[in-house]
Amino acid sequence: MPPYCKIINFSPCSLSWLQSMILGTTGTSSNTNQWKVVTKYYKAEVMLKLIDHEDVISDEEDFSDTEAVVFCCDTTKETLDRAEKIWMKIKECSPAVCLFVVETASDDVQDKKEATRTQILDWCLSNQFELVECNEEDEDGDSDTEERFDEKAGRIRIVQALKAHTWSNLELIEESEMKDEKENEETETENNSLLVAAQENLGEDPSFEDLFSQISKMKDISNNLPDEERRAYAEKVSLAFYKSIGLDSEDEE
């Protein structure tokens, strides 16, 4: 079963933008989607799931198969307290990637209900989360997150961090290509073996009775051959039957 990346929403705002950015699609209505991760170095299949924080508080969510969590929050102290409670519930599952995403954070706060950037950052450091501020702009403006090793900033950092993880089911590109070549070689070897068996079953000059007794076996062999070899084998079987009753293909015509 593919590993999960779970995005937990602590705010009333829609996270369709984040879902679309990660999946590379638009208009996705489902909260659970398969994400086919492809980078220059590996490919993997990951289940991407959007969750409301209330579902975690009520113990409706299992995190045993979760390798990445993304907390999408506002900057209120209340949300920071909720994040603490939810993290206490899931931290024993030890997700490898932990992101704390906010639109922006500042130490210059006027409202007592707001947490400062320093407070949020302290919480992140204490719990091994990475703070991602969406309004932060990347200096070089390069959105190609998988070809470079330098850390990005802003929203694209979310995708880069997730792609930097070594997912448990990933396949290295070279290994994947070698696997495909091996499977092709095995298929070709199997087809060659079937053709040899087909030739042996027909023999040089089989009698009509011999051929008739092997119809079932010849059908099984034919069904397992590729189209081109199957047509050639069927032609040989037909010729063998013609010869066994004293005819050849020209006489039949």
Side-chain angles (χ1 to χ4, degrees):
M1 185 175 180
Y4 271 79
C5 169
K6 294 185 178 178
I7 302 171
I8 304 174
N9 193 359
F10 289 83
S11 74
C13 301
S14 169
L15 294 180
S16 58
W17 67 268
L18 179 55
Q19 190 178 40
S20 297
M21 184 179 71
I22 295 174
L23 295 174
T25 59
T26 56
T28 303
S29 58
S30 174
N31 285 336
T32 304
N33 294 275
Q34 186 180 67
W35 178 28
K36 293 187 177 180
V37 188
V38 179
T39 74
K40 182 179 179 180
Y41 308 101
Y42 77 86
K43 59 183 180 180
E45 290 186 359
V46 178
M47 298 307 296
L48 186 70
K49 186 173 184 179
L50 297 182
I51 309 167
D52 189 88
H53 72 281
E54 294 289 351
D55 294 334
V56 183
I57 292 174
S58 59
D59 293 322
E60 294 181 12
E61 194 65 35
D62 177 26
F63 286 85
S64 59
D65 53 0
T66 303
E67 295 185 19
V69 291
V70 182
F71 284 15
C72 292
C73 307
D74 55 35
T75 55
T76 62
K77 291 179 181 177
E78 184 181 9
T79 294
L80 199 59
D81 288 340
R82 287 174 180 167
E84 173 70 17
K85 291 177 182 177
I86 287 177
W87 179 237
M88 291 300 104
K89 285 179 172 288
I90 66 178
K91 71 174 184 178
E92 63 181 15
C93 297
S94 302
V97 181
C98 301
L99 304 177
F100 194 98
V101 179
V102 296
E103 183 60 31
T104 185
S106 171
D107 282 326
D108 184 19
V109 296
Q110 306 300 322
D111 191 336
K112 291 183 179 180
K113 294 181 180 180
E114 289 289 314
T116 64
R117 186 179 188 278
T118 298
Q119 289 172 323
I120 295 171
L121 191 56
D122 284 345
W123 185 91
C124 289
L125 293 173
S126 298
N127 295 284
Q128 298 182 323
F129 271 68
E130 178 184 343
L131 176 61
V132 178
E133 297 178 68
C134 292
N135 73 332
E136 198 173 0
E137 294 184 3
D138 191 63
E139 291 182 0
D140 59 12
D142 183 5
S143 62
D144 191 352
T145 61
E146 59 218 52
E147 302 295 334
R148 299 168 61 92
F149 292 97
D150 56 314
E151 263 193 27
K152 297 295 176 182
R155 293 185 174 190
I156 60 174
R157 172 58 191 159
I158 301 170
V159 179
Q160 186 191 43
L162 294 175
K163 286 187 173 183
H165 172 53
T166 52
W167 298 96
S168 58
N169 64 342
L170 70 77
E171 290 185 12
L172 296 177
I173 296 297
E174 289 184 1
E175 286 184 359
S176 177
E177 290 174 352
M178 290 174 64
K179 182 180 177 182
D180 290 341
E181 288 179 6
K182 185 178 179 181
E183 288 177 351
N184 290 336
E185 289 176 1
E186 289 175 350
T187 301
E188 187 175 348
T189 301
E190 183 180 351
N191 289 341
N192 289 338
S193 299
L194 287 169
L195 284 171
V196 170
Q199 296 289 353
E200 290 176 351
N201 284 329
L202 287 177
E204 291 185 4
D205 293 304
S207 66
F208 179 83
E209 290 76 12
D210 290 337
L211 290 170
F212 190 79
S213 67
Q214 295 186 54
I215 284 179
S216 178
K217 190 171 184 178
M218 288 187 290
K219 183 179 179 181
D220 290 338
I221 291 174
S222 176
N223 288 339
N224 287 291
L225 290 172
D227 289 342
E228 199 169 314
E229 282 88 348
R230 182 162 55 246
R231 285 193 291 269
Y233 181 53
E235 185 176 339
K236 289 182 179 180
V237 170
S238 298
L239 289 172
F241 268 102
Y242 291 151
K243 289 181 180 179
S244 71
I245 59 175
L247 299 173
D248 57 29
S249 59
E250 291 181 358
D251 291 335
E252 178 66 16
E253 291 174 359

